[in-house]
Amino acid sequence: MKLDRAAVEEHVQVPAGAAAAKRRPTPVLPEPPAAASGPAVRAGVARRGQRSRRRRVQADSHAGAPAPAVQRLFQACRHVFRGPGTVPAPDHVHLLRALLDRMRPEDVGLSPDLKFFRATDAALGVPTITHTTIYKCPNFSMVILFLPRNAVIPLHNHPGMTVFSKLVLGKMHIKSYDWVDPDQLLPDPSSSSSSGSSSSCSSSSSDDTNQLRLAKLVVDDVFTAPCDTSVLYPTTGGNMHRFTAIEPCAIIDILGPPYSIEEDRDCTYYTDDIPYTHHRQPNGSVGGLTGAEQEEGLRLAWLKEIDMPAELKMCSVPYGGPPISDK
C-alpha cells in the first residue's frame, strides 16, 4: 500500500543527526481511511468495472477476429507470387483456389444492384465492360471485371501468366484454347517442302494462312455462379479465352504477373472463326496428331491474331470494397 508522506511526517518528527535517529521512536502511522460505501460509490465502481470488461472484450474480439476474406486472399497472393516469373506449385494453386472458391460477392463489396450490371447500351449490342483494381504490384494483380448482359471480352491471351478466375455473380459462356505444341505435329510424308516436315500453316498458298496458328479447344461451356475457380497457366489450362455474359456477371481475377507492355506481356486478341477443316494438312490428316491424340477427340481451331476490336468498350473505376492492408 502506498503511504501518504505528508500524513506520515505530520505524526512523526524526524530529528536531525544519526544519534537522534537511533533514539527515534517507532513512527505511528495513521490508519488507512475506511472504504467509502453507499449506493453512489457502488454504482461508480460497477460502471468502472463494466467499462474495463468492455475494453477487455473489445480488445480480445479485435485480436481474435479473422481478417476479411479479401485481406486473406491478398496475403496468400503475396505469399504465392514471390517473383514476376512465378508459376505456382500445386499446393499453392490449391491454397488460392480454396480461398477463391469461398469468396462471396459481399467480400469485395458487390451486389447485383450495382450500376455496372444495368448498362443502358446493352440493348444496342455494345455494352461497356467495367473493371477495378483491388491491388497491383510487379508480381501479381487482383482485379474485378463487371460484364453487363451480352457483354463480350474477345478471345485474348495471357503471355507468361498464371490466372485464377472466380465467377462470383451471374452466368457466362467461356471458350478457351491452348496452342498445339509443334512437337505434336507429325511429318507430312506427301509434302515436298524443302524443310522435310509439315507446318501448321503449310497447306495453303494464301498469305493469310501464314498468320494462322493451330490451337486446341480446352473449354467451351456455360458457368453459373457460384462455381469453382478456374486456373490457366502460361501454356496450359486455356491460356486464350473469351467471356460472353449471358446474365450480368462479376469475375475476380488474380493475374501473376500482371500485364506489362514494358516486360513483353501485352494483351493480344485473336479470332477463331476459321474452321480447322478449311486448312487441313496436305496429307489430309487431322492436324498431323498422333492416333492416340485423335482418339481423345482433341478439337482443333486456327487462331488468327487481330487488332483490339473497335467495338470493345472498357472503363476503369476505383475499387470500393473492403480495404486491404499491405503492412
Side-chain angles (χ1 to χ4, degrees), residues 138-194:
N139 295 348
F140 69 92
S141 64
M142 303 168 60
V143 302
I144 307 175
L145 300 170
F146 308 94
L147 284 74
R149 188 185 307 274
N150 299 325
V152 177
I153 298 181
L155 188 64
H156 62 283
N157 71 341
H158 306 82
M161 300 158 65
T162 302
V163 180
F164 294 75
S165 292
K166 168 63 176 179
L167 180 65
V168 291
L169 276 176
K171 183 177 182 179
M172 69 165 27
H173 178 264
I174 299 178
K175 192 173 188 180
S176 67
Y177 295 91
D178 284 328
W179 297 122
V180 170
D181 188 338
D183 292 339
Q184 291 180 294
L185 298 176
L186 296 176
D188 176 15
S190 65
S191 174
S192 59
S193 170
S194 60

Side-chain angles (χ1 to χ4, degrees), residues 1 12 28 33 76 91-92 129 159 172 179 184 196 214 217 236 239 255 271 283 288 293 299:
M1 180 178 68
V12 180
V28 180
D91 57 332
H92 286 166
I129 297 164
M172 69 165 27
W179 297 122
Q184 291 180 294
L214 192 61
L217 186 65
T236 61
N239 186 275
L255 299 91
T271 179
N283 64 357
E293 287 159 348
R299 290 173 290 178

Side-chain angles (χ1 to χ4, degrees), residues 38-54:
V41 174
R42 287 195 296 271
V45 172
R47 283 194 297 272
R48 287 195 296 273
Q50 290 171 357
R51 285 197 298 269
S52 178
R53 283 193 296 273
R54 278 200 300 270

